[in-house]
Each structure stands twice: as structure tokens, then as C-alpha cells.
Amino acid sequence: MTGPAADQFPPPPGNPPPGNPPPGSPPPGRPGPPETPWPGTPREPQTPLPGAPHPPGVPHRPGVPHRPTVPPAPDVVPTQMWPDRSGWPGQVYERLFDRRIVLAHGDLDDEAATSLCAQLLTLDAERNEPIRLEVQALTAELSAALTVMGVLDVLRVPVRAYAAGQIGGPALGVLAAATERRAYPNAVFKLSEPRLDFEGSATSLSSHEQQVRTMLDTLYLRLATVTGREVDEIRADARRGRYLSVEDAIGYGLIQELARPR
């Protein structure tokens, strides 16, 4: 029994029969469109062009350097916001501190009073030698002045104060708390009441006013003890804003003597 001829069986599915190409296929010798891979088939990784950003989501291939895009440098150099404290006045303050000289100037608030007290306590703990306190054009808040006065009262070593410029208000208490008090020829002293700004309810204002009066009595009592005058006289001079020159301050008892060349 003879078998069937080869042309009698249909070609398997997916394989075109030999002979002419199926309609729509590219002619022989010319490449066709890229084949679409089946789902799950890995693609051949492609090397990115030099300088091109790495595509997101695609892991970086070892051996291929990643070159991030670098923004161009700005034409204007940014301004330095914080001053260089290695020069003046930092070095000047350090050299004065090494010679046991402390400078108190400007407006003495609570923060400045804390710094001033820290310097005084540090020098007092180092060795038993006098401290020179330079009080120059100093104004002070009432609470800050009383804070410094309290520290000056507990120091073991003497404090020699030198006054320069205009010193007034509660800052006179800092000067009065020193062991020795001298003034430069250009010094001016003003007995005046501190300016207070506060707000609140009537009860809180009354309580605050009573506290301020107690603090003022402490300040005036110290000035009266140093000068040998009555507290009421000190209070009256402060209310009318009395100015004192160096000679007047010596006669008033606030200053002991004029500063002389060393």
C-alpha cells in the first residue's frame, strides 16, 4: 500500500508553505520591522549615550559609568552671611580676657548679662588676681543690671571698674557693685529711671508694677550705700534725670577717683 503524497497533507499551522512568500511580507534581502517580544521575554539592555541621564526604573549596569548632569557654576559668588570671628573683634576680646580685662558696653539685656556673668565667674575661678571691668557707654535693663550686681557681690577677687562714655539708668548699679570705681575724663553719668514697656490685664499690671518698685528700691539702696546719700535723694535725682560729670560723680560719691595713666 502506497502512502499519500507529500502535497496531500496540509502544512503545519504558522509555517507558510514553500514557494511564494505570503502577502504583506517584506521582500527578500530587505529587513522588516522589529519583532515585538512576547510577554516575559527579557530585552537586550542598551548602553546609554555618553552624557545622557540614566533612565528611571532601569538598574545601572556595572562597568558603565553614570554621568549625572552638573549644573553650570553661578556667575555671582554668594555673599558671606556670617562674619569671620577669627579676626577683629574676636581676637581683641580674647587677648583682653587673657589679661583679665572684661569689656561691658552697649545695651545690657538678659542675654548680654548672662555672657558678662560667665566671663566674670570664669576669671574668678582661675586665680586670685583682680579683674578689670571696662564699663563703656553702657545702658542696662533693670533685671539684667540686678543680675550682674548679684554676681559681682559673690566674687572672691576684687573688681576694678573703669567708666567711659555716658553711663545711665540701671547701669550705674553695675558700676556701684564694683570694688573700686574710676572714670576716664570723658565719662558722663546720668541718674534716671528705667523705661519699662509691658501690657496685660489690670491685675497683671499691678503685680508687675509692684515687682518693678521692689527692684528699683534694691538699685537705689545700692547707690545710696555706695554714695553715702539717702535713698529718697537718689530716687529724686533719678526722676528728674540728673547728669554728673567726672568731678560731680566724685563729689557725689559714685566715683572714687579719676583714671590715671598706667
Side-chain angles (χ1 to χ4, degrees):
M1 181 177 180
T2 60
D7 54 358
Q8 295 178 358
F9 294 93
N15 295 331
N20 296 330
S25 60
R30 183 176 300 176
E35 297 181 357
T36 303
W38 290 94
T41 304
R43 292 189 176 187
E44 182 69 20
Q46 299 180 359
T47 303
L49 297 177
H54 195 68
V58 181
H60 183 64
R61 293 182 58 189
V64 179
H66 177 59
R67 299 179 180 180
T69 304
V70 180
D75 297 334
V76 181
V77 180
T79 306
Q80 185 177 2
M81 299 300 297
W82 300 102
D84 186 7
R85 299 186 181 274
S86 60
W88 191 91
Q91 290 184 352
V92 177
Y93 290 158
E94 291 180 2
R95 295 185 64 181
L96 291 174
F97 188 78
D98 293 339
R99 290 161 175 79
R100 302 181 67 80
I101 300 176
V102 178
L103 181 62
H105 67 97
D107 186 22
L108 185 67
D109 55 5
D110 292 336
E111 183 177 358
T114 302
S115 176
L116 179 59
C117 292
Q119 297 179 59
L120 294 173
L121 291 172
T122 301
L123 294 177
D124 180 67
E126 283 185 352
R127 55 183 184 270
N128 295 327
E129 294 183 7
I131 300 175
R132 178 165 178 165
L133 179 60
E134 291 285 338
V135 184
Q136 299 182 359
L138 184 66
T139 59
E141 297 178 0
L142 182 57
S143 59
L146 294 179
T147 300
V148 178
M149 291 167 57
V151 171
L152 290 173
D153 289 339
V154 300
L155 294 182
R156 300 178 298 108
V157 300
V159 178
R160 299 170 179 172
Y162 289 79
Q166 179 172 320
I167 303 172
L172 294 177
V174 177
L175 184 63
T179 310
E180 302 176 8
R181 303 174 304 279
R182 297 178 177 86
Y184 295 104
N186 65 338
V188 178
F189 307 92
K190 181 182 180 181
L191 292 164
S192 62
E193 292 184 331
R195 292 184 299 177
L196 302 174
D197 297 328
F198 54 89
E199 57 184 12
S201 62
T203 304
S204 61
L205 291 179
S206 177
S207 177
H208 188 80
E209 182 181 1
Q210 183 178 0
Q211 179 64 25
V212 169
R213 288 180 179 178
T214 303
M215 297 168 67
L216 279 176
D217 291 340
T218 304
L219 174 64
Y220 294 152
L221 180 59
R222 172 56 63 91
L223 294 177
T225 303
V226 169
T227 60
R229 298 174 180 269
E230 297 293 334
V231 176
D232 293 338
E233 182 182 359
I234 300 293
R235 183 180 291 107
D237 291 338
R239 287 178 177 176
R240 64 190 180 94
R242 181 178 177 181
Y243 282 91
L244 301 174
S245 63
V246 177
E247 292 77 10
D248 296 335
I250 294 176
Y252 200 85
L254 184 61
I255 297 298
Q256 294 174 328
E257 63 179 357
L258 185 67
R260 304 186 182 279
R262 302 180 61 182

PDB file of all heavy atoms in Angstrom, residues 11-36:
ATOM      1  N   PRO A  11       0.006  22.033   5.296  1.00  0.00           N
ATOM      2  CA  PRO A  11       1.203  22.486   6.038  1.00  0.00           C
ATOM      3  C   PRO A  11       0.829  22.746   7.496  1.00  0.00           C
ATOM      4  O   PRO A  11      -0.303  23.052   7.834  1.00  0.00           O
ATOM      5  CB  PRO A  11       1.634  23.768   5.322  1.00  0.00           C
ATOM      6  CG  PRO A  11       0.392  24.266   4.668  1.00  0.00           C
ATOM      7  CD  PRO A  11      -0.416  23.038   4.323  1.00  0.00           C
ATOM      8  N   PRO A  12       1.788  22.583   8.399  1.00  0.00           N
ATOM      9  CA  PRO A  12       1.505  22.831   9.841  1.00  0.00           C
ATOM     10  C   PRO A  12       1.162  24.293  10.068  1.00  0.00           C
ATOM     11  O   PRO A  12       1.580  25.168   9.337  1.00  0.00           O
ATOM     12  CB  PRO A  12       2.813  22.438  10.545  1.00  0.00           C
ATOM     13  CG  PRO A  12       3.861  22.537   9.498  1.00  0.00           C
ATOM     14  CD  PRO A  12       3.192  22.205   8.208  1.00  0.00           C
ATOM     15  N   PRO A  13       0.372  24.536  11.118  1.00  0.00           N
ATOM     16  CA  PRO A  13      -0.024  25.948  11.379  1.00  0.00           C
ATOM     17  C   PRO A  13       1.181  26.816  11.725  1.00  0.00           C
ATOM     18  O   PRO A  13       2.064  26.393  12.470  1.00  0.00           O
ATOM     19  CB  PRO A  13      -0.983  25.836  12.582  1.00  0.00           C
ATOM     20  CG  PRO A  13      -1.308  24.406  12.730  1.00  0.00           C
ATOM     21  CD  PRO A  13      -0.261  23.617  12.069  1.00  0.00           C
ATOM     22  N   GLY A  14       1.191  28.056  11.214  1.00  0.00           N
ATOM     23  CA  GLY A  14       2.261  29.007  11.500  1.00  0.00           C
ATOM     24  C   GLY A  14       3.408  28.922  10.548  1.00  0.00           C
ATOM     25  O   GLY A  14       4.245  29.802  10.538  1.00  0.00           O
ATOM     26  N   ASN A  15       3.549  27.897   9.757  1.00  0.00           N
ATOM     27  CA  ASN A  15       4.641  27.769   8.804  1.00  0.00           C
ATOM     28  C   ASN A  15       4.074  27.932   7.409  1.00  0.00           C
ATOM     29  O   ASN A  15       3.251  27.127   6.955  1.00  0.00           O
ATOM     30  CB  ASN A  15       5.316  26.407   8.920  1.00  0.00           C
ATOM     31  CG  ASN A  15       6.007  26.249  10.275  1.00  0.00           C
ATOM     32  OD1 ASN A  15       6.432  27.232  10.853  1.00  0.00           O
ATOM     33  ND2 ASN A  15       6.084  25.005  10.748  1.00  0.00           N
ATOM     34  N   PRO A  16       4.473  28.939   6.688  1.00  0.00           N
ATOM     35  CA  PRO A  16       3.962  29.113   5.315  1.00  0.00           C
ATOM     36  C   PRO A  16       4.505  28.022   4.435  1.00  0.00           C
ATOM     37  O   PRO A  16       5.615  27.519   4.633  1.00  0.00           O
ATOM     38  CB  PRO A  16       4.474  30.500   4.930  1.00  0.00           C
ATOM     39  CG  PRO A  16       5.672  30.712   5.775  1.00  0.00           C
ATOM     40  CD  PRO A  16       5.431  29.985   7.047  1.00  0.00           C
ATOM     41  N   PRO A  17       3.752  27.708   3.466  1.00  0.00           N
ATOM     42  CA  PRO A  17       4.225  26.651   2.555  1.00  0.00           C
ATOM     43  C   PRO A  17       5.376  27.175   1.719  1.00  0.00           C
ATOM     44  O   PRO A  17       5.508  28.380   1.506  1.00  0.00           O
ATOM     45  CB  PRO A  17       2.986  26.334   1.708  1.00  0.00           C
ATOM     46  CG  PRO A  17       2.167  27.575   1.769  1.00  0.00           C
ATOM     47  CD  PRO A  17       2.394  28.162   3.110  1.00  0.00           C
ATOM     48  N   PRO A  18       6.217  26.267   1.340  1.00  0.00           N
ATOM     49  CA  PRO A  18       7.345  26.713   0.485  1.00  0.00           C
ATOM     50  C   PRO A  18       6.827  27.259  -0.826  1.00  0.00           C
ATOM     51  O   PRO A  18       5.796  26.850  -1.322  1.00  0.00           O
ATOM     52  CB  PRO A  18       8.162  25.432   0.317  1.00  0.00           C
ATOM     53  CG  PRO A  18       7.220  24.317   0.539  1.00  0.00           C
ATOM     54  CD  PRO A  18       6.227  24.787   1.551  1.00  0.00           C
ATOM     55  N   GLY A  19       7.610  28.164  -1.323  1.00  0.00           N
ATOM     56  CA  GLY A  19       7.200  28.774  -2.571  1.00  0.00           C
ATOM     57  C   GLY A  19       7.151  30.262  -2.431  1.00  0.00           C
ATOM     58  O   GLY A  19       8.063  30.907  -1.875  1.00  0.00           O
ATOM     59  N   ASN A  20       6.089  30.876  -2.877  1.00  0.00           N
ATOM     60  CA  ASN A  20       5.957  32.324  -2.836  1.00  0.00           C
ATOM     61  C   ASN A  20       5.729  32.797  -1.405  1.00  0.00           C
ATOM     62  O   ASN A  20       5.055  32.144  -0.609  1.00  0.00           O
ATOM     63  CB  ASN A  20       4.771  32.759  -3.705  1.00  0.00           C
ATOM     64  CG  ASN A  20       5.016  32.417  -5.175  1.00  0.00           C
ATOM     65  OD1 ASN A  20       6.171  32.400  -5.613  1.00  0.00           O
ATOM     66  ND2 ASN A  20       3.937  32.153  -5.897  1.00  0.00           N
ATOM     67  N   PRO A  21       6.282  33.951  -1.017  1.00  0.00           N
ATOM     68  CA  PRO A  21       6.082  34.489   0.352  1.00  0.00           C
ATOM     69  C   PRO A  21       4.642  34.934   0.520  1.00  0.00           C
ATOM     70  O   PRO A  21       3.953  35.262  -0.434  1.00  0.00           O
ATOM     71  CB  PRO A  21       7.034  35.677   0.412  1.00  0.00           C
ATOM     72  CG  PRO A  21       7.244  36.079  -1.000  1.00  0.00           C
ATOM     73  CD  PRO A  21       7.133  34.831  -1.817  1.00  0.00           C
ATOM     74  N   PRO A  22       4.146  34.927   1.740  1.00  0.00           N
ATOM     75  CA  PRO A  22       2.746  35.340   1.973  1.00  0.00           C
ATOM     76  C   PRO A  22       2.568  36.810   1.679  1.00  0.00           C
ATOM     77  O   PRO A  22       3.513  37.591   1.683  1.00  0.00           O
ATOM     78  CB  PRO A  22       2.518  35.017   3.459  1.00  0.00           C
ATOM     79  CG  PRO A  22       3.886  35.062   4.065  1.00  0.00           C
ATOM     80  CD  PRO A  22       4.817  34.564   2.991  1.00  0.00           C
ATOM     81  N   PRO A  23       1.354  37.179   1.417  1.00  0.00           N
ATOM     82  CA  PRO A  23       1.116  38.608   1.115  1.00  0.00           C
ATOM     83  C   PRO A  23       1.428  39.487   2.330  1.00  0.00           C
ATOM     84  O   PRO A  23       1.124  39.145   3.467  1.00  0.00           O
ATOM     85  CB  PRO A  23      -0.382  38.657   0.772  1.00  0.00           C
ATOM     86  CG  PRO A  23      -0.775  37.248   0.519  1.00  0.00           C
ATOM     87  CD  PRO A  23       0.145  36.364   1.259  1.00  0.00           C
ATOM     88  N   GLY A  24       2.033  40.670   2.081  1.00  0.00           N
ATOM     89  CA  GLY A  24       2.346  41.629   3.145  1.00  0.00           C
ATOM     90  C   GLY A  24       3.699  41.454   3.764  1.00  0.00           C
ATOM     91  O   GLY A  24       4.100  42.272   4.591  1.00  0.00           O
ATOM     92  N   SER A  25       4.458  40.411   3.409  1.00  0.00           N
ATOM     93  CA  SER A  25       5.797  40.206   3.996  1.00  0.00           C
ATOM     94  C   SER A  25       6.807  41.001   3.193  1.00  0.00           C
ATOM     95  O   SER A  25       6.618  41.240   2.009  1.00  0.00           O
ATOM     96  CB  SER A  25       6.140  38.711   4.014  1.00  0.00           C
ATOM     97  OG  SER A  25       6.130  38.195   2.679  1.00  0.00           O
ATOM     98  N   PRO A  26       7.903  41.455   3.855  1.00  0.00           N
ATOM     99  CA  PRO A  26       8.907  42.237   3.126  1.00  0.00           C
ATOM    100  C   PRO A  26       9.603  41.396   2.093  1.00  0.00           C
ATOM    101  O   PRO A  26       9.694  40.172   2.215  1.00  0.00           O
ATOM    102  CB  PRO A  26       9.873  42.685   4.221  1.00  0.00           C
ATOM    103  CG  PRO A  26       9.732  41.672   5.289  1.00  0.00           C
ATOM    104  CD  PRO A  26       8.299  41.242   5.259  1.00  0.00           C
ATOM    105  N   PRO A  27      10.061  42.038   1.048  1.00  0.00           N
ATOM    106  CA  PRO A  27      10.756  41.283   0.002  1.00  0.00           C
ATOM    107  C   PRO A  27      12.050  40.722   0.530  1.00  0.00           C
ATOM    108  O   PRO A  27      12.606  41.189   1.527  1.00  0.00           O
ATOM    109  CB  PRO A  27      10.976  42.336  -1.089  1.00  0.00           C
ATOM    110  CG  PRO A  27      10.937  43.642  -0.370  1.00  0.00           C
ATOM    111  CD  PRO A  27       9.980  43.462   0.750  1.00  0.00           C
ATOM    112  N   PRO A  28      12.529  39.707  -0.107  1.00  0.00           N
ATOM    113  CA  PRO A  28      13.804  39.096   0.337  1.00  0.00           C
ATOM    114  C   PRO A  28      14.938  40.119   0.260  1.00  0.00           C
ATOM    115  O   PRO A  28      15.011  40.931  -0.640  1.00  0.00           O
ATOM    116  CB  PRO A  28      14.010  37.934  -0.647  1.00  0.00           C
ATOM    117  CG  PRO A  28      12.666  37.673  -1.220  1.00  0.00           C
ATOM    118  CD  PRO A  28      11.928  38.957  -1.222  1.00  0.00           C
ATOM    119  N   GLY A  29      15.866  40.037   1.275  1.00  0.00           N
ATOM    120  CA  GLY A  29      17.034  40.908   1.292  1.00  0.00           C
ATOM    121  C   GLY A  29      16.782  42.241   1.939  1.00  0.00           C
ATOM    122  O   GLY A  29      17.701  43.046   2.016  1.00  0.00           O
ATOM    123  N   ARG A  30      15.599  42.578   2.371  1.00  0.00           N
ATOM    124  CA  ARG A  30      15.305  43.878   2.990  1.00  0.00           C
ATOM    125  C   ARG A  30      14.786  43.612   4.408  1.00  0.00           C
ATOM    126  O   ARG A  30      13.864  42.841   4.585  1.00  0.00           O
ATOM    127  CB  ARG A  30      14.255  44.615   2.176  1.00  0.00           C
ATOM    128  CG  ARG A  30      13.955  46.025   2.716  1.00  0.00           C
ATOM    129  CD  ARG A  30      12.968  46.745   1.802  1.00  0.00           C
ATOM    130  NE  ARG A  30      13.527  46.865   0.443  1.00  0.00           N
ATOM    131  CZ  ARG A  30      12.840  47.386  -0.574  1.00  0.00           C
ATOM    132  NH1 ARG A  30      11.609  47.788  -0.421  1.00  0.00           N
ATOM    133  NH2 ARG A  30      13.420  47.459  -1.753  1.00  0.00           N
ATOM    134  N   PRO A  31      15.399  44.248   5.436  1.00  0.00           N
ATOM    135  CA  PRO A  31      14.969  43.955   6.819  1.00  0.00           C
ATOM    136  C   PRO A  31      13.550  44.457   7.076  1.00  0.00           C
ATOM    137  O   PRO A  31      13.144  45.485   6.585  1.00  0.00           O
ATOM    138  CB  PRO A  31      15.990  44.733   7.656  1.00  0.00           C
ATOM    139  CG  PRO A  31      16.470  45.829   6.772  1.00  0.00           C
ATOM    140  CD  PRO A  31      16.458  45.251   5.378  1.00  0.00           C
ATOM    141  N   GLY A  32      12.828  43.704   7.868  1.00  0.00           N
ATOM    142  CA  GLY A  32      11.468  44.053   8.221  1.00  0.00           C
ATOM    143  C   GLY A  32      11.412  44.808   9.524  1.00  0.00           C
ATOM    144  O   GLY A  32      12.437  45.143  10.125  1.00  0.00           O
ATOM    145  N   PRO A  33      10.239  45.123  10.006  1.00  0.00           N
ATOM    146  CA  PRO A  33      10.093  45.849  11.281  1.00  0.00           C
ATOM    147  C   PRO A  33      10.535  44.977  12.441  1.00  0.00           C
ATOM    148  O   PRO A  33      10.504  43.752  12.356  1.00  0.00           O
ATOM    149  CB  PRO A  33       8.586  46.159  11.345  1.00  0.00           C
ATOM    150  CG  PRO A  33       7.959  45.112  10.496  1.00  0.00           C
ATOM    151  CD  PRO A  33       8.929  44.812   9.407  1.00  0.00           C
ATOM    152  N   PRO A  34      11.010  45.629  13.535  1.00  0.00           N
ATOM    153  CA  PRO A  34      11.475  44.824  14.671  1.00  0.00           C
ATOM    154  C   PRO A  34      10.325  44.026  15.258  1.00  0.00           C
ATOM    155  O   PRO A  34       9.181  44.462  15.302  1.00  0.00           O
ATOM    156  CB  PRO A  34      11.984  45.880  15.679  1.00  0.00           C
ATOM    157  CG  PRO A  34      11.276  47.132  15.301  1.00  0.00           C
ATOM    158  CD  PRO A  34      11.093  47.067  13.815  1.00  0.00           C
ATOM    159  N   GLU A  35      10.711  42.826  15.687  1.00  0.00           N
ATOM    160  CA  GLU A  35       9.699  41.942  16.227  1.00  0.00           C
ATOM    161  C   GLU A  35       9.313  42.384  17.621  1.00  0.00           C
ATOM    162  O   GLU A  35      10.149  42.832  18.399  1.00  0.00           O
ATOM    163  CB  GLU A  35      10.224  40.509  16.260  1.00  0.00           C
ATOM    164  CG  GLU A  35      10.548  39.941  14.888  1.00  0.00           C
ATOM    165  CD  GLU A  35      11.040  38.517  14.995  1.00  0.00           C
ATOM    166  OE1 GLU A  35      11.156  38.044  16.148  1.00  0.00           O
ATOM    167  OE2 GLU A  35      11.284  37.903  13.962  1.00  0.00           O
ATOM    168  N   THR A  36       8.063  42.278  17.949  1.00  0.00           N
ATOM    169  CA  THR A  36       7.579  42.579  19.290  1.00  0.00           C
ATOM    170  C   THR A  36       7.759  41.358  20.157  1.00  0.00           C
ATOM    171  O   THR A  36       7.257  40.283  19.817  1.00  0.00           O
ATOM    172  CB  THR A  36       6.107  42.973  19.249  1.00  0.00           C
ATOM    173  OG1 THR A  36       5.947  44.082  18.369  1.00  0.00           O
ATOM    174  CG2 THR A  36       5.593  43.341  20.639  1.00  0.00           C
TER     175      THR A  36
END
